Amino acid sequence: MCGWAGILDRNAPGGAELQAQIKRMTDTLEHRGPDDEGTWCDAPAGIALGFRRLAIVDLSPHGHQPMVSASGRYVMVFNGEVYNYAELRRELEPRGYRFRGHSDTEVMLAAIEEWGLLAAVQRFVGMFAIALWDRAERRLALVRDRLGIKPIYYGWMGTTLLFGSELKALRAHPSFKVTVDRGALSLFMRHNYVPSPHSIYAGVRQLPPGCMLELRAGVEHPTPVAYWSAKEVAERGTAQPLDLPDAEAIEQLDALLRKAIGLRMVADVPLGAFLSGGIDSSTVVALMQAQSAQPVRTFSIGFEEADYDEAGYARAVARQLGTDHTELYVTPAEAQAVIPSLPHMYDEPFADSSQIPTYLVSKLARQSVTVSLSGDGGDELFEGYSSYYIGDALWRKLRWLPIWSRTGLARGITAVPTAAYDRSFGWLAPHIPHLGAGAQMGDKMYKLAELLQMRRPEELHQRIGSHWTPPAAVVLGGYEPATVFTDPVALAALPSFVERSMYMDTVSYLPGDILTKVDRASMAVSLEARVPLLDHRVVEFAWRLPLTMKYRDGKSKWILRQVLYRYVPPALVERPKMGFGVPIGEWLRGPLRAWAEALLDERRLRDEGFFNPAPIRTKWAEHLSGARDWKFYLWDVLMFQAWWEHWGSCG
């Protein structure tokens, strides 16, 4: 796991200045690669590549980057892991290739020379962000892994193309200009993250997952090309579902997961896993332990607040599997102490509050290991979110009602104050697991009123996961660029609400929120996080499974549970889904109140010119009084404000 940056400039300065520029950029990425650094420049060609290395496989100098191919034609920097490199190496050696070390980088370059970039990338199994310079063609290629586990940002600043693993590297270049993209800000306020291909900065893009981009100096707007399409995988899988007995499907999934996890256990440094005690992480750890002669090192954190504490569940699973388990109970003060570092860690506004415990468990793991496996991806692949089946049930009822009827019903619901719902029905919340911790019935009823007015299933699913709606009402000059939820070209032709929702989350929420959160939090402490459930072969298999193997007998992730039950008794993991959060709402009314008040000051909001202060101040007052629970909305604004306070003066 590493970090890299690059410059392509048809008017590049001399070699010494170009070298200094790329060095400044990669210095900002030391956290992603504390073990080694390197630069490579060709001033006449206008190209510079820089690298920071976190050594995982082949700790020797033979793994140093930027790396030049054996023929001298290609120069590459690469962040991530290609797990099947040993298999590719065995195939390349009879063709005459000789290797100095045993790094995956060297094998990747040989594969590109032998088969060409596209064919080689299609054979790579792993997570990767690649920048490849072709010295013969003077052409730069950027390639991002299929699911978007590893990040790539790029953008033109005048005649200079800047690209890298994080925005802070691009910001370190003297030509970088800070201009907030109001469209990206609007999307952030809706989703709590900035979805690709956008970034918070005008002129800077994220390369979408599963895409490659070829660039030459002076050609400023090439179009990314997909070498693997989640849309095609989903459409093909649902059109050609597997017709297997339950036992055979479970056996095939077990074998696929075992192989994917086994590949990700290869490392020349200590390795472990995050363990929450839930279905996904427990499955990963169970299959790790089944393939390990030694106890697997597992890590979890606990909280004093019972509604947010999963440590006991993780401890029970660890005891059952016989892992070498470490847990740390975190006080509210320790968790809150992370907040000032979030703007620098996440580099652009990011407002999933589980970013805090993700960082804390990464920090805990890094004290013992350099690589940690994670269970992310199971919800999107195996129908794990309650919004899928709740939304499906709601849409089945709504689609038969005319919109005028639903609109009238919504007006009737919102005619009753939220406090009245809380007084009359608040006692129900603790008895309905899907409502979540601290659910307020009034807020839920008002959310239902909004959902009643949705006209399309994609619109309904988007609204379930939205915060500020419409964002343009709070973002000055705001507008919403097209996304997978609104662009007919991006929508997949899938037969059901559930499948469409799973697809939309796989290409938006998963890379934009979940994987971004894990990458930045783990890399902040120089820890490599691997996500075996997102092996693309597992993804392709999951899309061929009928929904009856994902949700059955009132249980989500049915088939994944059956695999887990081979190793762990059901009683240890059968419980309502908790998520991985912290009590932000309560903290904003208590120890974080002064910090939040300063960032939400009405004059400050007006002077900075990004937001309409009125709706923000109204929600802040209602939240403080306890009349409404606006924690997610307020956290969006606070994370932008904190980010702007940290980064707004640069450039």
Side-chain angles (χ1 to χ4, degrees):
M1 193 67 66
C2 311
W4 52 258
I7 304 165
L8 181 62
D9 188 354
R10 62 176 178 263
N11 298 317
E17 177 58 23
L18 190 61
Q19 180 83 21
Q21 289 177 357
I22 193 64
K23 178 69 164 56
R24 282 197 296 271
M25 293 173 73
T26 55
D27 281 350
T28 68
L29 302 174
E30 183 179 3
H31 57 288
R32 295 187 77 96
D35 298 330
D36 188 22
E37 62 178 316
T39 59
W40 180 90
C41 299
D42 183 347
I47 182 75
L49 299 173
F51 191 72
R52 295 292 315 211
R53 184 185 184 199
L54 177 62
I56 303 294
V57 174
D58 191 351
L59 310 186
S60 76
H62 293 308
H64 177 81
Q65 296 185 42
M67 186 178 288
V68 181
S69 67
S71 71
R73 176 174 177 176
Y74 298 106
V75 186
M76 187 171 78
V77 287
F78 150 63
N79 166 28
E81 305 283 350
V82 168
Y83 303 112
N84 64 330
Y85 75 97
E87 176 185 334
L88 295 173
R89 176 172 174 151
R90 287 192 296 270
E91 190 173 348
L92 288 163
E93 285 175 330
R95 298 170 183 258
Y97 289 91
R98 297 293 177 263
F99 298 93
R100 297 166 297 156
H102 64 277
S103 73
D104 53 354
T105 312
E106 192 177 4
V107 174
M108 292 164 67
L109 280 167
I112 291 166
E113 292 211 295
E114 177 66 21
W115 298 307
L117 177 61
L118 176 60
V121 167
Q122 289 174 331
R123 299 177 69 155
F124 295 162
V125 175
M127 55 181 185
F128 44 83
I130 300 168
L132 180 78
W133 177 248
D134 183 337
R135 300 171 79 178
E137 298 289 336
R138 289 199 170 189
R139 180 174 60 216
L140 173 70
L142 303 178
V143 187
R144 192 177 181 193
D145 64 66
R146 294 169 180 85
L147 278 303
I149 303 169
K150 295 288 99 186
I152 298 180
Y153 292 90
Y154 68 97
W156 288 93
M157 295 292 161
T159 64
T160 306
L161 176 73
L162 304 175
F163 50 98
S165 300
E166 294 185 14
L167 286 169
K168 58 176 64 71
L170 278 63
R171 270 191 297 256
H173 192 276
S175 69
F176 190 87
K177 302 299 180 186
V178 174
T179 305
V180 171
D181 184 325
R182 303 282 171 141
L185 177 55
S186 300
L187 291 174
F188 165 73
M189 294 295 282
R190 177 184 288 278
H191 298 291
N192 79 248
Y193 60 90
V194 179
S196 72
H198 308 283
S199 88
I200 195 61
Y201 294 117
V204 179
R205 311 279 282 178
Q206 297 182 61
L207 185 64
C211 286
M212 61 173 52
L213 184 69
E214 293 191 333
L215 305 109
R216 299 173 186 268
V219 182
E220 297 190 7
H221 300 291
T223 302
V225 175
Y227 65 87
W228 185 88
S229 168
K231 178 181 177 182
E232 292 177 3
V233 167
E235 290 175 342
R236 184 169 60 248
T238 53
Q240 302 171 353
L242 292 169
D243 184 13
L244 297 173
D246 288 351
E248 187 173 343
I250 294 165
E251 182 61 36
Q252 288 192 23
L253 180 58
D254 190 318
L256 268 175
L257 291 174
R258 185 179 289 257
K259 182 176 181 180
I261 290 166
L263 279 175
R264 285 158 181 81
M265 293 173 67
V266 176
D268 295 334
V269 293
L271 174 142
F274 300 140
L275 179 60
S276 69
I279 301 298
D280 302 338
S281 68
S282 297
T283 302
V284 170
V285 171
L287 288 167
M288 288 177 73
Q289 192 59 70
Q291 301 177 78
S292 176
Q294 302 296 326
V296 171
R297 297 178 183 180
T298 53
F299 304 91
S300 67
I301 58 171
F303 292 97
E304 295 175 356
E305 297 88 345
D307 286 342
Y308 297 87
D309 181 30
E310 294 185 291
Y313 302 114
R315 189 184 317 124
V317 172
R319 188 181 303 116
Q320 170 70 29
L321 294 172
T323 71
D324 179 2
H325 189 60
T326 301
E327 71 178 31
L328 173 69
Y329 267 81
V330 179
T331 67
E334 289 170 328
Q336 292 158 25
V338 176
I339 293 173
S341 64
L342 294 176
H344 188 81
M345 189 186 309
Y346 283 87
D347 226 15
E348 65 181 336
F350 184 83
D352 180 340
S353 61
S354 65
Q355 62 202 131
I356 297 171
T358 302
Y359 169 79
L360 290 169
V361 75
S362 296
K363 184 178 179 183
L364 174 66
R366 188 62 178 94
Q367 296 172 16
S368 304
V369 301
T370 311
V371 177
S372 185
L373 274 62
S374 176
D376 297 292
D379 289 312
E380 291 79 7
L381 295 181
F382 298 102
E383 199 180 340
Y385 294 124
S386 61
S387 61
Y388 295 153
Y389 42 88
I390 292 174
D392 182 47
L394 180 60
W395 182 249
R396 288 175 185 272
K397 295 178 174 63
L398 292 184
R399 62 181 178 175
W400 301 111
L401 293 174
I403 189 65
W404 60 264
S405 174
R406 290 190 264 138
T407 301
L409 182 57
R411 288 199 198 98
I413 290 173
T414 55
V416 178
T418 58
Y421 288 114
D422 292 340
R423 286 193 300 270
S424 300
F425 302 107
W427 61 272
L428 279 173
H431 305 287
I432 306 178
H434 298 321
L435 291 181
Q440 293 179 286
M441 292 302 294
D443 288 331
K444 298 297 178 182
M445 293 300 294
Y446 273 51
K447 183 68 171 282
L448 174 62
E450 291 185 66
L451 298 179
L452 287 172
Q453 301 173 74
M454 301 297 103
R455 297 172 183 269
R456 298 182 299 113
E458 292 82 10
E459 191 179 357
L460 176 64
H461 180 66
Q462 181 190 39
R463 184 60 195 92
I464 288 173
S466 293
H467 294 180
W468 293 87
T469 57
V474 68
V475 177
L476 299 176
Y479 64 96
E480 287 192 80
T483 67
V484 66
F485 300 99
T486 58
D487 182 359
V489 176
L491 293 175
L494 300 173
S496 72
F497 176 92
V498 169
E499 287 156 330
R500 277 176 277 185
S501 298
M502 290 166 59
Y503 164 72
M504 287 184 284
D505 282 351
T506 298
V507 298
S508 58
Y509 177 67
L510 179 63
D513 185 313
I514 300 298
L515 297 176
T516 295
K517 174 183 65 181
V518 173
D519 175 79
R520 303 306 191 277
S522 60
M523 284 282 87
V525 295
S526 305
L527 176 76
E528 173 168 300
R530 297 177 175 178
V531 281
L533 298 185
L534 294 181
D535 185 303
H536 72 277
R537 297 163 301 184
V538 175
V539 174
E540 291 167 358
F541 179 81
W543 273 109
R544 295 198 64 196
L545 292 171
L547 286 179
T548 53
M549 287 191 176
K550 298 177 181 178
Y551 187 83
R552 187 184 298 184
D553 301 329
K555 294 190 183 301
S556 63
K557 295 189 275 197
W558 180 85
I559 190 170
L560 197 61
R561 291 173 189 266
Q562 307 316 304
V563 172
L564 177 58
Y565 295 162
R566 292 178 164 193
Y567 308 92
V568 173
L572 288 185
V573 292
E574 291 294 353
R575 68 180 193 276
K577 186 177 180 66
M578 290 182 65
F580 192 43
V582 289
I584 286 293
E586 291 86 341
W587 291 355
L588 290 176
R589 296 187 183 101
L592 296 181
R593 179 170 178 170
W595 167 79
E597 184 63 67
L599 291 173
L600 301 178
D601 177 77
E602 184 171 0
R603 176 176 293 181
R604 178 175 184 166
L605 292 170
R606 188 181 301 111
D607 290 347
E608 289 173 345
F610 294 108
F611 297 120
N612 173 9
I616 295 172
R617 294 298 303 180
T618 297
K619 283 181 168 51
W620 179 230
E622 291 177 347
H623 186 81
L624 289 178
S625 71
R628 299 293 301 273
D629 182 5
W630 294 119
K631 58 179 176 288
F632 297 129
Y633 295 72
L634 294 168
W635 195 245
D636 293 339
V637 182
L638 289 165
M639 285 295 95
F640 177 84
Q641 290 293 95
W643 171 82
W644 183 249
E645 183 175 67
H646 182 78
W647 289 112
S649 61
C650 77

